[in-house]
Amino acid sequence: MNMKKLITLIFVFFLVNNLQAQYRDGADFKLGLTAHPTIGWIRSDVNSINSDGVKLGFSYGVLGDFLFRESYAFSTALKLTTINGKTESTEGATTNKQTYKLQYIEIPAKLKLLTGDDKEVRFYGEFGLGNAFNVRAKADVKSNNSANTAEGLDIYKRTSFYRGSIIIGGGAEIATSGKTRILAGLTFDNGFTDIQKGDGALKSSYLGINLGVFF
């Protein structure tokens, strides 16, 4: 069994067991929506390829928090997330600047810690595993060699299907009316798997400026 399948199985096992325990204990469930920008970049372990700055992306989808204690929750989501980034590579006298446009379905598994629920504002911190599955991959290439220049190049077959990451973040939930709460915070999603197939190691990360609402 390869590492990709093993990580997926561990995540599914963890999710199912947590949901069963939460429903058995009569835990609360919060459902919400999110839509927010991401600031992405790509790190390189290849000598001839360097990171070339950040690029804006976007993320939106459904949030779910399963509270199994007053201040502890299992937090997950189903999001469509675009992680963009730029690299610069040199081959002899040729310099290529490549902009990656990678789109994933994200299903994170996080532990969320919250302050007491007797306040209109609850602060939180979270830590967990990011699980993302590639659904589209394109690239723009600018080069001093016109033969290498391309726009909207489909690179899906050259990219990895699974992207694993470590997530750390924090923010606040602000009560408005009834059970409705506005979510605002920051998330650092640090990728640790190669985004491309074959040799080399390019790893994508992003900073998410979280905005959402729980109902």
Side-chain angles (χ1 to χ4, degrees):
M1 180 181 294
N2 61 36
M3 181 61 68
K4 194 178 349 182
K5 291 182 179 179
L6 178 60
I7 292 173
T8 303
L9 286 174
I10 291 172
F11 165 70
V12 172
F13 177 79
F14 177 73
L15 176 61
V16 170
N17 275 271
N18 270 275
L19 294 184
Q20 287 177 340
Q22 289 154 11
Y23 280 117
R24 185 169 58 247
D25 295 339
D28 286 335
F29 171 67
K30 295 190 301 181
L31 185 66
L33 298 174
T34 183
H36 59 83
T38 63
I39 302 170
W41 63 92
I42 293 174
R43 308 188 316 278
S44 172
D45 293 335
V46 184
N47 289 333
S48 60
I49 301 176
N50 298 309
S51 177
D52 193 34
V54 300
K55 188 75 174 174
L56 289 177
F58 198 72
S59 179
Y60 64 93
V62 180
L63 305 173
D65 279 4
F66 299 85
L67 288 105
F68 49 91
R69 291 291 185 274
E70 179 182 333
S71 299
Y72 305 94
F74 171 75
S75 181
T76 187
L78 180 61
K79 300 191 298 180
L80 186 64
T81 299
T82 301
I83 307 173
N84 298 329
K86 300 188 293 184
T87 62
E88 181 180 270
S89 61
T90 302
E91 298 176 8
T94 301
T95 299
N96 299 320
K97 290 180 175 289
Q98 185 156 291
T99 299
Y100 289 85
K101 304 172 183 178
L102 308 176
Q103 194 170 72
Y104 297 89
I105 291 177
E106 281 195 290
I107 309 175
K110 301 174 291 184
L111 176 64
K112 187 174 184 179
L113 309 177
L114 302 102
T115 56
D117 64 354
D118 58 341
K119 299 179 180 179
E120 291 186 359
V121 179
R122 298 188 72 183
F123 296 99
Y124 71 87
E126 58 184 4
F127 179 83
L129 175 68
N131 301 279
F133 307 94
N134 194 336
V135 294
R136 191 178 69 178
K138 292 185 179 294
D140 296 335
V141 181
K142 293 182 179 180
S143 175
N144 57 1
N145 181 349
S146 59
N148 292 350
T149 299
E151 188 170 342
L153 186 67
D154 190 344
I155 59 169
Y156 183 80
K157 292 183 179 179
R158 289 161 36 197
T159 56
S160 301
F161 175 66
Y162 177 77
R163 174 184 176 274
S165 62
I166 297 297
I167 299 172
I168 185 169
E173 294 181 6
I174 305 167
T176 55
S177 61
K179 292 186 177 181
T180 303
R181 302 185 75 89
I182 301 297
L183 172 71
L186 292 174
T187 295
F188 174 45
D189 189 296
N190 187 27
F192 59 79
T193 57
D194 197 343
I195 63 172
Q196 62 181 5
K197 296 178 181 177
D199 296 333
L202 297 179
K203 300 170 185 178
S204 62
S205 298
Y206 72 85
L207 183 68
I209 303 173
N210 298 336
L211 300 170
V213 56
F214 282 113
F215 300 98

